[in-house]
Amino acid sequence: SMYRLAFTGKPGHGGVVVTMPDGRLGLLEAGYNVTPWTRLSPLDYRMPLYGGSTWVRERHVPLTPEQDARLTAFAVSKADKRYAIGK
């Protein structure tokens, strides 16, 4: 895998930073707190809970307002649903 080539080991977890409906930044995560749930949490609440390093990959081209709204709608539609562990 690419993680081995970069000598970084395996990633511990992943998520997507999105704009929440109230305008704050949020983190959409599958497998929230090692559970089979997908959650959308305020970024300022969630990030301090992680120990160690956090990697953030910035987009090369920012989202348009329409794309950002669609991503927010997607994140809200997936929040609080069971994560498909078997896939």
Side-chain angles (χ1 to χ4, degrees):
S1 83
M2 295 306 290
Y3 297 104
R4 284 192 215 133
L5 288 174
F7 301 104
T8 60
K10 291 185 178 182
H13 188 60
V16 177
V17 175
V18 301
T19 303
M20 296 178 63
D22 64 6
R24 295 181 296 164
L25 291 179
L27 184 62
L28 179 65
E29 303 172 87
Y32 181 89
N33 283 352
V34 194
T35 66
W37 294 97
T38 301
R39 298 279 193 247
L40 178 59
S41 305
L43 191 63
D44 60 349
Y45 163 76
R46 194 69 179 131
M47 290 308 297
L49 300 177
Y50 288 107
S53 299
T54 301
W55 292 15
V56 177
R57 192 171 97 182
E58 187 176 358
R59 290 184 49 87
H60 288 278
V61 178
L63 295 177
T64 66
E66 294 81 17
Q67 290 170 327
D68 187 52
R70 288 176 56 200
L71 183 58
T72 297
F74 170 80
V76 168
S77 75
K78 299 304 176 191
D80 301 321
K81 294 197 175 176
R82 288 186 64 82
Y83 177 58
I85 294 172
K87 289 187 177 182

